[in-house]
């Protein structure tokens, strides 16, 4: 009798396990989106048909590459597919070194615009300025619609150690110029620093790379025994970089307040970042220099300091890039996708995308060479230093705080 009961129990248990597996499999199958069943086979069928019947022989990989390219034409200009070499180049630049031409570009008013030429790069040596617009790349007319093509071609020439030819519309003149750039090894220091006038700390933040926060913290330690009467943070021609570095640097200078808010579709893209109570250079007057070449992470930092009333912004309206990109490696491949995953807003809730940040004291490129256009007090102090009158303007503002 007990043997029969055991057999019946085992049978019932087996039936239950089988039913649970069947139900689980059915739920898993039903959980797949409809495009798994319809759209993917359609895409493969299109590629197969073109490969088989097109009048000219065409490689299947070309069709796959074209399909991928087509996806990103539907997205914003900051998203794109990265080859292994592209992915490695971005990772290298975040570490402060890479091989290339030394300039960053973005779209502005339907034109491809230079955000910044990096210091001691082929672009800077050729005289390229932030705000210059690219008219042609290697005799091909370009505009905002083919930004990804421009970026891809620039990377290809860099990877192959080949020169590129650029036709530019300079920001300072109406006459186009033609230049040729040869790629070179570029090393980017996070910051350049010095003491001005004996007691003003000058920090030029060139890039938001992996060691940027650490570099500023170390410099603050070196200056801790100097009775500073002012700090100048120079973000001019800084195209941005790692968002987490911009947030942590803002936290260094702030002892309270919101730094930035990011919003996106995925859960992790929605964040409010606030400053901790620890701070450096507390109660020391601070000026932040910005211009058209200040973009992305630079704008996050500048807006955080301005809207939390920690610093006065001086210079030109910034570039206006209010989106956040993430590098997403493709599993099983050496490629990656650079994808816009969020928008960001300033502490006061402003979206600066395509608008930029307006400085508290506006000094344009032309104004700094014209004594009559100087908008703040202390022009005699500003004119002492011919190499950079915007810095002189910042010094004059610090001087005025003591009066």
């Amino acid at each position: 009798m007990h043997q029969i009961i055991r057999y019946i129990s085992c049978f019932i248990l087996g039936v239950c396990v089988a039913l649970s597996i069947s139900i689980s499999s059915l739920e898993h199958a039903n959980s797949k989106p409809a495009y798994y069943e319809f759209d993917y086979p359609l895409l493969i069928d299109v590629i197969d048909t073109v490969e088989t019947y097109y009048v000219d022989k065409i490689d299947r990989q070309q069709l796959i590459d074209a399909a991928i390219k087509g996806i990103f034409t539907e997205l914003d200009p900051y998203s794109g597919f990265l080859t292994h070499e592209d992915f490695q180049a971005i990772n290298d630049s975040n570490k402060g070194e890479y091989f290339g031409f030394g300039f960053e570009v973005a779209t502005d008013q339907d034109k491809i615009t230079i955000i910044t030429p990096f210091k001691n790069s082929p672009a800077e040596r050729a005289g390229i300025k932030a705000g210059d617009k690219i008219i042609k790349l290697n005799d091909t007319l370009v505009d905002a619609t083919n930004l990804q093509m421009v970026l891809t071609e620039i990377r290809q020439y860099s990877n192959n150690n080949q020169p590129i030819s650029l036709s530019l519309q300079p920001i300072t003149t109406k006459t186009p110029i033609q230049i040729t750039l040869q790629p070179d090894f570029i090393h980017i220091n996070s910051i350049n620093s010095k003491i001005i006038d004996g007691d003003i700390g000058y920090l030029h933040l060139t890039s938001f790379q992996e060691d940027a926060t650490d570099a500023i913290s170390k410099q603050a330690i070196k200056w801790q025994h100097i009775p500073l009467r002012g700090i100048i943070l120079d973000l001019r021609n800084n195209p941005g970089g790692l968002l987490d570095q911009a947030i942590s640097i803002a936290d260094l200078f702030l002892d309270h307040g919101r730094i930035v808010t990011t919003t996106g579709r995925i859960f992790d893209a929605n964040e409010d970042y606030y400053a901790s109570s620890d701070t450096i250079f507390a109660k020391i007057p601070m000026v932040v220099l910005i211009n058209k070449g200040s973009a992305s992470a630079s704008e996050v930092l500048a807006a955080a300091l301005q809207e939390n009333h920690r610093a006065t912004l001086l210079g030109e309206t910034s570039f206006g890039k209010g989106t956040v990109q993430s590098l997403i490696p493709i599993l099983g491949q050496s490629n990656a996708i650079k994808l816009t995953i969020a928008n960001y807003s300033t502490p006061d809730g402003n979206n600066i995308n395509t608008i930029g940040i307006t400085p508290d004291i506006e000094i344009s490129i032309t104004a700094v060479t014209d004594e009559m256009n100087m908008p703040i007090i202390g022009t005699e102090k500003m004119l002492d230093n011919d190499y950079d009158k915007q810095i002189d303007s910042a010094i004059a503002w610090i001087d005025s705080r003591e009066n």
Side-chain angles (χ1 to χ4, degrees), residues 96-313:
E97 56 184 30
Y98 76 104
F99 187 81
F101 300 101
F103 62 89
E104 292 274 351
V105 298
T107 57
D108 181 37
Q109 299 177 348
D110 297 325
K111 301 292 184 181
I112 297 178
T113 304
I114 303 290
I115 301 178
T116 184
F118 290 120
K119 190 173 181 60
N120 298 322
S121 68
E124 187 193 54
R125 292 194 292 267
I128 291 178
K129 305 294 184 184
D132 290 353
K133 299 187 184 302
I134 301 178
I135 303 170
K136 290 182 181 180
L137 170 63
N138 296 330
D139 296 324
T140 301
L141 286 170
V142 299
D143 57 30
T145 62
N146 52 10
L147 174 63
Q148 287 305 319
M149 180 276 290
V150 170
L151 294 175
T152 299
E153 188 163 340
I154 289 174
R155 291 189 193 109
Q156 287 175 347
Y157 275 73
S158 174
N159 292 337
N160 295 324
N161 196 13
Q162 294 177 320
I164 59 171
S165 175
L166 295 176
S167 293
L168 299 173
Q169 178 61 64
I171 190 172
T172 55
T173 178
K174 295 181 179 180
T175 305
I177 60 173
Q178 183 85 20
I179 63 172
T180 299
L181 298 180
Q182 179 71 40
D184 197 0
F185 185 81
I186 300 166
H187 179 76
I188 306 170
N189 293 320
S190 293
I191 64 168
N192 297 307
S193 60
K194 60 184 175 182
I195 296 294
I196 300 175
D197 279 11
D199 54 6
I200 295 177
Y202 172 79
L203 294 168
H204 181 199
L205 182 59
T206 59
S207 176
F208 290 85
Q209 57 203 46
E210 293 175 359
D211 64 346
T213 305
D214 189 48
I216 291 179
S217 297
K218 289 179 178 178
Q219 190 59 56
I221 293 172
K222 293 179 181 178
W223 286 347
Q224 62 183 336
H225 300 301
I226 301 176
L228 297 175
R229 63 187 176 92
I231 293 291
I232 299 173
L233 178 62
D234 193 344
L235 300 179
R236 293 174 298 176
N237 296 332
N238 185 323
L242 300 173
L243 176 63
D244 65 334
Q245 291 294 307
I247 293 170
S248 58
I249 292 172
D251 192 16
L252 287 179
F253 292 106
L254 295 171
D255 59 8
H256 69 280
R258 180 186 282 116
I259 295 173
V260 68
T261 299
T262 62
T263 55
R265 286 198 306 123
I266 63 173
F267 177 79
D268 289 343
N270 296 275
E271 292 283 355
D272 263 324
Y273 297 92
Y274 288 86
S276 62
S277 58
D278 295 333
T279 185
I280 61 175
F281 304 126
K283 298 181 181 179
I284 298 177
M286 185 174 182
V287 181
V288 177
L289 303 180
I290 59 172
N291 66 358
K292 189 67 173 176
S294 307
S296 194
S298 290
E299 294 171 296
V300 170
L301 176 55
L305 298 178
Q306 180 188 47
E307 294 183 4
N308 281 292
H309 309 291
R310 175 61 187 92
T312 294
L313 267 57

Side-chain angles (χ1 to χ4, degrees), residues 81-85 87 328-337:
F81 179 78
L82 303 177
T83 65
H84 171 68
E85 291 78 12
F87 190 26
I328 305 172
I330 299 176
L331 293 178
Q333 304 287 329
S334 57
N335 304 321
I337 293 174

Side-chain angles (χ1 to χ4, degrees), residues 313-360:
L313 267 57
L314 185 151
E316 301 174 294
T317 298
S318 61
F319 184 81
K321 180 177 178 290
T323 58
V324 179
Q325 285 70 46
S326 180
L327 296 179
I328 305 172
I330 299 176
L331 293 178
Q333 304 287 329
S334 57
N335 304 321
I337 293 174
K338 182 182 179 184
L339 198 64
T340 298
I341 62 167
N343 299 310
Y344 73 78
S345 55
T346 68
D348 288 344
N350 298 315
N351 182 343
I352 58 91
N353 198 44
T354 72
I355 299 171
I357 299 170
T358 302
D360 301 296

Side-chain angles (χ1 to χ4, degrees), residues 361-393:
I361 302 171
E362 293 193 57
I363 302 180
S364 67
I365 290 176
T366 54
V368 297
T369 62
D370 183 354
E371 181 179 353
M372 297 302 294
N373 289 332
M374 288 298 181
I376 62 176
I377 62 173
T379 54
E380 70 283 350
K381 178 69 175 179
M382 296 177 223
L383 297 176
D384 286 344
N385 194 340
D386 290 333
Y387 78 92
D388 197 327
K389 291 187 173 63
Q390 286 186 335
I391 291 180
D392 283 338
S393 300

